[in-house]
Amino acid sequence: AMTIDVWAQITTERMAREPWLATLNRWTGRADDTRTPTVASTLAAMDEGGVKIALLSAWYGPQGSLISNEEVAAQIDAAPTRFRGLASVDLRDPMRAVRDIRRLVDGKRFVGVRVVPWLWDLPPNDRRYYPIYAACIEAGVPFCTQIGHTGPLKRSETGRLIPYLEDVLLDFPELVVVGGHVGFPWLDELITLTIKFPNFHVDTSAYTLRRLPPAFIDYMKGIGANRVMFGTNWPMIAPAKCLDHIDDLGLCAVGRTAFLSGNARRVFKL
């Protein structure tokens, strides 16, 4: 099967220097590995794990761009059949954010918009996000975010699904949302949002499949079957390592294809 990775990034040197990344690298055993990935090393890791297409994220935070939209555009240009982009924006300048989305996000090269709430310490129902949701709906692309606890040493509150993301889904019923990183420890809330909102989805990035919580695996086989997508959070975890032990999940053939590629293909119109 042609696997799609819905959350990857080719990290820049300036992002690698962020102090919150040090804690993450310590946990994943990459503390001494200061090399940033390249297009070539990313493609090699994708080939090893059988990943056909990776969605590469831009990152913007209060400190400015950690991976700019222009850098992601150049990464896509280096391997246009293998990469698509997720643009990011500066929440402090909502009109510039809207103009950036209108200019860049064509649904073909850039297929969505990602904002990581913990980076801003602003939950997704904050007023500064709302113009971005309107722009995503106009562009016909998903809004990608992060749900659940924060791995780096930053507050987890912004990743709570209820009330923050629920408010957004209530206010923008047309908005397609992809919540990255599983959503633990709020897996009951994941079920609630899935039942209430047909446009809500989730990805498994930042988890190897063998580390997925049992309750989440049950969700994947049940009401989440057409909502869950594979992701890695590369370079934090390589695709082959993420996918190791996939057979242990006990997914049926249809469920496995939906998880690895089908749901992503449908949601991102790949």
Side-chain angles (χ1 to χ4, degrees):
M2 301 198 302
T3 303
I4 297 168
D5 178 356
V6 301
W7 189 327
Q9 48 268 311
I10 300 180
T11 336
T12 59
E13 294 285 351
R14 64 188 181 282
M15 184 170 177
R17 286 194 297 268
E18 285 290 307
W20 48 259
L21 211 55
T23 58
L24 206 59
N25 286 341
R26 195 170 70 240
W27 291 333
T28 54
R30 296 179 65 244
D32 304 321
D33 187 1
T34 53
R35 294 167 303 168
T36 51
T38 61
V39 164
S41 71
T42 301
L43 289 169
M46 288 165 64
D47 289 342
E48 187 196 352
V51 171
K52 176 82 186 326
I53 295 172
L55 307 190
L56 300 177
S57 279
W59 279 65
Y60 283 74
Q63 60 281 76
S65 90
L66 296 174
I67 308 173
S68 71
N69 291 323
E70 291 68 31
E71 284 166 319
V72 172
Q75 293 162 1
I76 297 167
D77 286 342
T81 62
R82 305 293 302 278
F83 295 140
R84 305 288 186 278
L86 297 175
S88 193
V89 292
D90 187 337
L91 289 180
R92 294 165 302 191
D93 192 346
M95 271 322 296
R96 184 182 164 196
V98 168
R99 291 182 186 114
D100 283 349
I101 293 168
R102 288 176 177 163
R103 180 172 53 86
L104 284 169
V105 183
D106 57 357
K108 294 185 173 53
R109 290 176 79 242
F110 280 88
V111 295
V113 175
R114 175 165 331 278
V115 178
V116 177
W118 61 257
L119 196 55
W120 294 92
D121 199 25
L122 291 174
N125 65 351
D126 183 271
R127 66 184 190 277
R128 279 157 282 203
Y129 289 83
Y130 273 48
I132 292 154
Y133 300 146
C136 286
I137 292 167
E138 279 185 343
V141 299
F143 175 75
C144 304
T145 188
Q146 181 266 338
I147 58 174
H149 64 211
T150 303
L153 293 183
K154 296 278 191 179
R155 280 168 17 111
S156 292
E157 180 66 18
T158 53
R160 272 187 176 273
L161 295 134
I162 299 172
Y164 308 117
L165 202 55
E166 185 185 50
D167 283 351
V168 173
L169 290 158
L170 288 167
D171 288 340
F172 293 92
E174 295 168 74
L175 184 67
V176 176
V177 172
V178 181
H181 299 3
V182 169
F184 184 86
W186 298 297
L187 299 183
D188 290 344
E189 299 183 11
L190 191 70
I191 292 167
T192 300
L193 262 54
T194 302
I195 293 167
K196 286 181 75 168
F197 303 108
N199 283 338
F200 171 71
H201 308 80
V202 59
D203 76 48
T204 61
S205 58
Y207 283 74
T208 57
L209 297 187
R210 65 187 304 183
R211 271 191 59 236
L212 287 174
F216 187 85
I217 297 169
D218 291 342
Y219 166 80
M220 286 176 76
K221 293 176 185 170
I223 60 162
N226 64 349
R227 308 294 187 91
V228 182
M229 306 173 212
F230 173 72
T232 60
N233 203 29
W234 166 265
M236 177 189 164
I237 313 174
K241 188 179 178 193
C242 263
L243 288 162
D244 201 21
H245 299 277
I246 186 171
D247 293 338
D248 297 350
L249 295 181
L251 298 173
C252 66
V254 172
R256 182 168 170 147
T257 301
F259 166 55
L260 292 178
S261 61
N263 293 340
R265 205 175 285 285
R266 183 184 77 248
V267 169
F268 289 99
K269 302 172 186 162
L270 298 173

